[in-house]
Amino acid sequence: MRIGIDVGGTGIQVGLVNKELKIISEASIPTRTDIPFEEQVQQIASCVLSVISSAGLDPEEIESVGVGIPGIASASGEIIKCTNMGWHHVPFSEVFHRFYNKPVFVDNDANVAALAESVAGVSAGTSSSVFITIGTGIGSGIIINGRIWKGCHGIGGELGHVIFDLDGVPCSCGNHGCLERYCSATAIIRMAREAAKLHPDSMLMKLAGNNPSEVTAKTVFDAARQEDPVAVEVYHRFIGYLAQAVASVVNLIDPEVIVLGGGVSKAGSFLLKPLVREFPRYVLFDDQPLPEIKLAVLGSEAGIIGAAMLT
Amino acid sequence: MRIGIDVGGTGIQVGLVNKELKIISEASIPTRTDIPFEEQVQQIASCVLSVISSAGLDPEEIESVGVGIPGIASASGEIIKCTNMGWHHVPFSEVFHRFYNKPVFVDNDANVAALAESVAGVSAGTSSSVFITIGTGIGSGIIINGRIWKGCHGIGGELGHVIFDLDGVPCSCGNHGCLERYCSATAIIRMAREAAKLHPDSMLMKLAGNNPSEVTAKTVFDAARQEDPVAVEVYHRFIGYLAQAVASVVNLIDPEVIVLGGGVSKAGSFLLKPLVREFPRYVLFDDQPLPEIKLAVLGSEAGIIGAAMLT
């Protein structure tokens, strides 16, 4: 039995995961950035202990505690940077041990989700995979030889900030042309709003209540499914960008499977089918067997399950 | 004692490598694409046996034979694709065994050079590194946990064909905007020729005998060292592109060391110094310890030494 903790911007999910990699008990607390770090950790530890006791277990029966954070951490459990939580160089494991003394492992949330899918999800049984989460930004996690590869200094796996378009769209990171400016929900919305303004009579515009700032990624997919030409054009551009991003991952890393998660992946086969058709033309050795592209299956459970599997 | 073979477009180098990873005996034969595959392999095997005997050794004393090719190969020693040699799906190991029956390993030449530097060169002692060879194109090899990572299907490690500039400069591979179109000697030459045409009185143009088509990467570096403004502008653009390429490798893979080899790396500190200064600004977590950037040290010996180390 292991504990997995998924630290998010609004809530912290705690789950007890059994040997079959199922969540058997779960609870959550709101994310609090208005209290000191030690207090945040204490609240998390209390939640952990209550999840254990509500499953009728003794805290001693737990093997380890894993934590996924929207940031980076060291192997020793120091959180190096977690901007959402206001944590910079804070000794998470050390403080957590004051309340509950079990081995603690901390890693980036996309790495954790990558691990979860590779042991209990769609890429289970593979030894290498790249998980790409397509939401507001692009997160990614690399699994090589069955283990998370987060780099020598813990700063790898950031596919979203690979240069994808020299001198291109400005990114929140301060650079220009980062991959996530073209392959995220934010990118779909940017392209769609520009198109909607030019085509006030489009279905896309109608679905957004005639307000371009109400356009979402879902509006675009919905209108494209109904063959609205304005939405279809944005959809095709987005698929083309994502195909080039996926092919770049193949050309450089060539994992067994590439897993797509995050909000945009909910478009399902409407996203996957054209992508699988299109990405090989951007692969250098496209006459060879290629990685499979699959949709994530664990959804929000990936954060808890993957964290519980950290070692 | 192991044999390393470096298959190139004009010649095939064979070397005997000792336990200290030094080449103690060496010979070469011309590359022949006008004869059948079996004959090519027979000539290579003869050269191997003569290198062994000229070192006063018995063929039985050799542990293994490794081969680096400008192409891709399977784990079983089948060469899948090696366009320069006209080899497509040829059973190299099987044919080689007819002439000399020792374990044979075949891998891509950039992977082999990456391995060589990581065991006997500038990245010796590290467990992760990315080797980038900057020549006519961009080759690369990834070392993770001390071993070559060439991908699940053997088609990874092709940094040169990662998308770097959406809808950018056409590439020989058929796509647009591949990284090697901006970071290779060919890219320097393209940019410099365009600049030279616009500035017929530049030193760059003079060093090229007033013939833009005589401009080489070396001409550009030579003129830039002498502060020719036209060459300096091309040099800065190139360094900027390479910095973004290096930072992309850091953001995604974050190895312990990034090693630069190939013809352009001969520019030495004139290339390395500004690059080391510039790449961190494109790294997402640029306030963390970052990979070291180093120049390759093994030169043309990397092909033989790395091949000999294949397992």
Side-chain angles (χ1 to χ4, degrees):
Chain A
M1 296 283 195
R2 296 160 178 266
I3 289 288
I5 304 172
D6 183 7
V7 174
T10 54
I12 296 169
Q13 318 290 323
V14 174
L16 181 65
V17 177
N18 68 9
K19 282 189 180 160
E20 288 73 40
L21 307 177
K22 300 283 178 216
I23 299 172
I24 56 168
S25 176
E26 204 175 346
S28 70
I29 54 173
T31 298
R32 295 275 302 273
T33 53
D34 56 327
I35 56 175
F37 170 68
E38 281 75 10
E39 221 170 302
Q40 292 176 316
V41 178
Q42 186 173 13
Q43 293 190 356
I44 294 171
S46 298
C47 185
V48 167
L49 292 167
S50 94
V51 164
I52 295 169
S53 87
S54 70
L57 292 175
D58 186 281
E60 282 313 300
E61 294 177 77
I62 303 303
E63 258 181 89
S64 62
V65 176
V67 190
I69 57 163
I72 54 173
S74 75
S76 69
E78 184 200 25
I79 291 175
I80 295 167
K81 190 180 253 183
C82 182
T83 308
N84 287 356
M85 300 295 290
W87 292 343
H88 295 277
H89 290 285
V90 289
F92 186 92
S93 297
E94 195 187 308
V95 175
F96 191 87
H97 282 155
R98 292 182 204 155
F99 311 108
Y100 183 35
N101 198 11
K102 284 285 173 182
V104 174
F105 305 99
V106 189
D107 209 324
N108 172 268
D109 51 8
N111 290 346
V112 160
L115 182 63
E117 292 289 345
S118 81
V119 291
V122 72
S123 46
T126 66
S127 75
S128 63
S129 56
V130 172
F131 177 83
I132 305 175
T133 167
I134 311 173
T136 311
I138 290 278
S140 66
I142 302 170
I143 305 292
I144 286 186
N145 298 327
R147 295 186 63 84
I148 293 171
W149 175 258
K150 61 179 182 179
C152 175
H153 313 86
I155 61 173
E158 292 291 347
L159 177 66
H161 296 277
V162 159
I163 299 296
F164 193 58
D165 190 29
L166 276 173
D167 304 318
V169 176
C171 184
S172 54
C173 75
N175 291 323
H176 285 73
C178 290
L179 188 144
E180 74 172 26
R181 292 301 105 192
Y182 300 84
C183 298
S184 60
T186 309
I188 301 177
I189 293 166
R190 185 189 70 242
M191 295 187 285
R193 285 183 184 167
E194 287 164 8
K197 275 181 206 161
L198 295 174
H199 301 279
D201 298 331
S202 61
M203 183 193 296
L204 177 63
M205 195 66 156
K206 271 186 211 101
L207 289 180
N210 289 314
N211 183 351
S213 64
E214 292 293 316
V215 170
T216 64
K218 189 173 178 303
T219 329
V220 177
F221 285 117
D222 287 347
R225 273 182 222 268
Q226 294 176 61
E227 294 177 9
D228 169 48
V230 177
V232 165
E233 201 270 327
V234 171
Y235 162 77
H236 279 309
R237 258 178 81 193
F238 177 72
I239 297 287
Y241 292 155
L242 197 56
Q244 291 179 72
V246 163
S248 292
V249 170
V250 175
N251 286 333
L252 190 56
I253 300 179
D254 177 26
E256 196 167 341
V257 183
I258 293 175
V259 180
L260 305 180
V264 171
S265 73
K266 291 181 184 152
S269 65
F270 193 59
L271 176 79
L272 191 63
K273 270 194 180 173
L275 186 65
V276 166
R277 207 185 309 122
E278 199 164 334
F279 88 91
R281 57 181 278 228
Y282 302 108
V283 172
L284 186 63
F285 295 110
D286 60 341
D287 53 353
Q288 299 305 312
L290 299 181
E292 280 190 276
I293 318 295
K294 293 186 168 183
L295 298 172
V297 294
L298 296 176
S300 59
E301 293 197 339
I304 289 175
I305 295 174
M309 298 310 299
L310 289 174
T311 52
Chain B
M1 297 281 196
R2 297 160 177 266
I3 288 288
I5 304 173
D6 183 8
V7 174
T10 55
I12 296 169
Q13 318 290 324
V14 175
L16 181 65
V17 177
N18 69 10
K19 281 187 180 161
E20 288 74 37
L21 308 177
K22 300 284 178 211
I23 300 172
I24 55 168
S25 177
E26 205 175 345
S28 70
I29 54 173
T31 298
R32 295 276 302 273
T33 52
D34 57 326
I35 56 175
F37 170 67
E38 280 76 8
E39 220 170 302
Q40 291 176 315
V41 179
Q42 184 171 15
Q43 292 188 357
I44 293 171
S46 298
C47 185
V48 166
L49 292 168
S50 94
V51 163
I52 296 168
S53 88
S54 70
L57 293 175
D58 186 281
E60 282 312 301
E61 293 177 76
I62 304 302
E63 259 181 87
S64 63
V65 176
V67 191
I69 58 162
I72 54 174
S74 76
S76 68
E78 183 199 27
I79 292 175
I80 295 167
K81 190 181 254 184
C82 182
T83 309
N84 287 356
M85 301 294 292
W87 292 342
H88 295 277
H89 290 284
V90 289
F92 185 91
S93 297
E94 193 186 310
V95 174
F96 190 87
H97 282 156
R98 293 183 204 153
F99 310 109
Y100 183 35
N101 199 12
K102 285 284 173 182
V104 174
F105 305 99
V106 189
D107 209 323
N108 172 266
D109 51 8
N111 290 346
V112 160
L115 181 62
E117 293 289 346
S118 81
V119 291
V122 72
S123 46
T126 66
S127 76
S128 63
S129 56
V130 172
F131 177 83
I132 305 175
T133 169
I134 312 172
T136 309
I138 291 278
S140 66
I142 301 170
I143 305 292
I144 287 185
N145 297 327
R147 295 185 63 85
I148 294 170
W149 175 259
K150 61 180 183 178
C152 175
H153 314 86
I155 61 173
E158 292 290 348
L159 177 65
H161 296 278
V162 159
I163 299 295
F164 193 59
D165 190 30
L166 277 173
D167 306 317
V169 177
C171 185
S172 54
C173 75
N175 291 324
H176 286 74
C178 290
L179 188 144
E180 74 171 28
R181 292 300 106 193
Y182 300 84
C183 298
S184 61
T186 308
I188 302 177
I189 293 167
R190 184 189 72 242
M191 295 187 286
R193 285 182 185 167
E194 285 164 8
K197 275 181 205 160
L198 295 173
H199 301 278
D201 298 331
S202 62
M203 184 193 293
L204 177 63
M205 195 67 157
K206 271 187 209 100
L207 289 179
N210 290 312
N211 183 352
S213 65
E214 292 293 317
V215 170
T216 64
K218 191 174 178 302
T219 327
V220 177
F221 285 116
D222 287 347
R225 272 182 222 268
Q226 295 176 60
E227 295 176 8
D228 170 49
V230 177
V232 166
E233 200 271 329
V234 171
Y235 162 76
H236 280 309
R237 258 178 80 195
F238 177 72
I239 297 288
Y241 293 155
L242 198 55
Q244 291 179 72
V246 162
S248 293
V249 170
V250 176
N251 286 334
L252 191 57
I253 301 180
D254 176 25
E256 196 167 342
V257 184
I258 294 175
V259 180
L260 306 179
V264 171
S265 72
K266 290 182 184 151
S269 63
F270 193 59
L271 175 81
L272 191 64
K273 272 193 178 174
L275 186 64
V276 167
R277 207 184 309 125
E278 199 163 337
F279 88 91
R281 58 181 278 226
Y282 301 108
V283 173
L284 186 62
F285 296 109
D286 60 342
D287 53 354
Q288 298 306 311
L290 299 179
E292 281 191 276
I293 318 296
K294 294 186 168 183
L295 298 171
V297 294
L298 295 176
S300 59
E301 292 197 340
I304 289 175
I305 295 174
M309 299 310 299
L310 289 172
T311 51

